[in-house]
Amino acid sequence: MARTIGTVTVVGLGLIGSSIARAVMARLPDVTVTGHDASAGVRAEARALGLCHRIADDPADAVTGADLVILAVPVGRMADAARVCAPGLKPDAIISDVGSSKSGVGAALRAALPDHLVIPAHPVAGTENSGPAAGFATLFEGRWCIVTPAADAPADAVAALTGFWQALGARIETMDAAHHDLVLAVTSHLPHLIAYTIVGTASELEEVTESEVIKYSAGGFRDFTRIAASDPVMWRDVFLANRDAVLATLQRFNEDLTVLQQAIRRGDGDKLEAWFTRTRAIRRSIIAEGQDDPAPDFGRKH
């Protein structure tokens, strides 16, 4: 008999958690969603926004009776969040998360909840904004949700979780947790590290350029500042949790940067043009996959 999800609890009501709650309310009328956040202020804001059918003040109370519990907290706090929820979990509940790193998070959750079923997941979606007011019900539409079940995870539970994310509009990919971490180190974690670095460098140059860095910021720098505006606590935890894959990817990036540095120094225009031609093709592939807007200037309104 297929496993069904009729009750969902979202622990952590920031951008992703509040978007999950909104999407459930909008797309799954037969599913009851309960929310909890460690911050009393966030809980009050969530109640005012009507994010869930119920906002619980106590984490164990929040998960009581839930078929699916989704931990939408920074990856460094996943294990603690799981432990405080544990007393209220029913035996057959599915425990999942939305973290951007999977190997460490999966191990931490299984250690915190040894008697419960943990199936990690990562919806690859988001904005630079945070907090319960930042979420929206369509955040996951057309975006990928990567599910990383253990080899012995029950097939019916994996199907129930993937079906839940598909109902929220996501596209599903299933992969090994370690492979996920390597892929995301390339596509998400390293770009954020570069953005934080270049914006920090620009900040240090502000006095030298008499504020011209900000005044004359072009589209490329504006995009870096958008990425660098992401939640600092969340990204601190991501880099620490996925340090091996990030460091390996950073080493490769530094090697490639050296190649370009040498090409510029030597006046090797052919090398630069070949590199830029290949990277432009990647951008076009992302648009073809429906993962970004092909409108001029990234769809900005002027």
Side-chain angles (χ1 to χ4, degrees):
M1 184 175 179
R3 186 185 293 232
T4 60
I5 294 175
T7 52
V8 176
T9 295
V10 181
V11 178
L13 298 173
L15 168 68
I16 300 298
S18 66
S19 294
I20 294 171
R22 284 183 168 92
V24 172
M25 297 280 280
R27 301 175 70 111
L28 297 172
D30 296 328
V31 175
T32 300
V33 58
T34 297
H36 170 75
D37 196 281
S39 166
V42 169
R43 295 197 300 271
E45 186 176 356
R47 286 191 181 98
L49 291 169
L51 284 183
C52 305
H53 295 103
R54 183 173 75 98
I55 301 293
D57 292 324
D58 179 77
D61 173 50
V63 302
T64 298
D67 299 316
L68 171 64
V69 176
I70 299 177
L71 303 175
V73 301
V75 293
R77 290 178 15 213
M78 288 286 182
D80 289 340
R83 278 190 283 268
V84 296
C85 290
L89 293 171
K90 66 179 187 175
D92 61 344
I94 300 171
I95 317 302
S96 192
D97 75 304
V98 297
S100 183
S101 62
K102 295 272 68 86
S103 296
V105 168
L109 290 179
R110 292 182 183 103
L113 301 171
D115 298 322
H116 292 279
L117 174 61
V118 173
I119 306 178
H122 175 209
V124 187
T127 73
E128 70 274 22
N129 300 314
S130 57
F136 49 99
T138 58
L139 178 62
F140 311 109
E141 289 184 3
R143 301 304 179 190
W144 288 100
C145 181
I146 302 173
V147 182
T148 61
D152 60 351
D156 64 334
V158 175
L161 180 63
T162 58
F164 171 81
W165 279 108
Q166 286 173 324
L168 300 193
R171 303 160 70 183
I172 302 298
E173 185 69 67
T174 302
M175 67 176 66
D176 173 75
H179 185 67
H180 164 278
D181 290 351
L182 178 60
V183 170
L184 268 294
V186 175
T187 62
S188 177
H189 304 168
L190 182 61
H192 275 80
L193 191 64
I194 294 168
Y196 283 123
T197 303
I198 197 168
V199 173
T201 300
S203 176
E204 293 174 356
L205 289 172
E206 269 293 273
E207 292 184 10
V208 177
T209 61
E210 299 179 349
S211 299
E212 289 174 330
V213 168
I214 302 301
K215 183 177 180 180
Y216 299 120
S217 63
F221 184 73
R222 289 199 306 269
D223 288 329
F224 276 124
T225 63
R226 180 188 62 77
I227 296 171
S230 300
D231 186 338
V233 173
M234 180 187 77
W235 281 101
R236 175 201 67 192
D237 288 356
V238 166
F239 287 124
L240 294 177
N242 199 29
R243 75 178 71 194
D244 291 342
V246 168
L247 289 173
T249 306
L250 183 59
Q251 177 63 34
R252 175 59 185 268
F253 173 76
N254 284 332
E255 293 168 0
D256 289 342
L257 197 60
T258 298
V259 170
L260 291 178
Q261 183 182 25
Q262 292 172 343
I264 294 170
R265 180 180 292 116
R266 296 168 181 171
D268 189 346
D270 291 342
K271 178 72 173 180
L272 294 173
E273 184 178 353
W275 191 281
F276 301 157
T277 299
R278 181 166 63 90
T279 55
R280 183 171 67 169
I282 293 172
R283 169 64 185 172
R284 290 174 173 173
S285 297
I286 290 172
I287 293 172
E289 279 286 319
Q291 297 303 300
D292 204 357
D293 191 336
D297 202 15
F298 303 97
R300 288 189 180 93
K301 296 179 180 180
H302 296 280

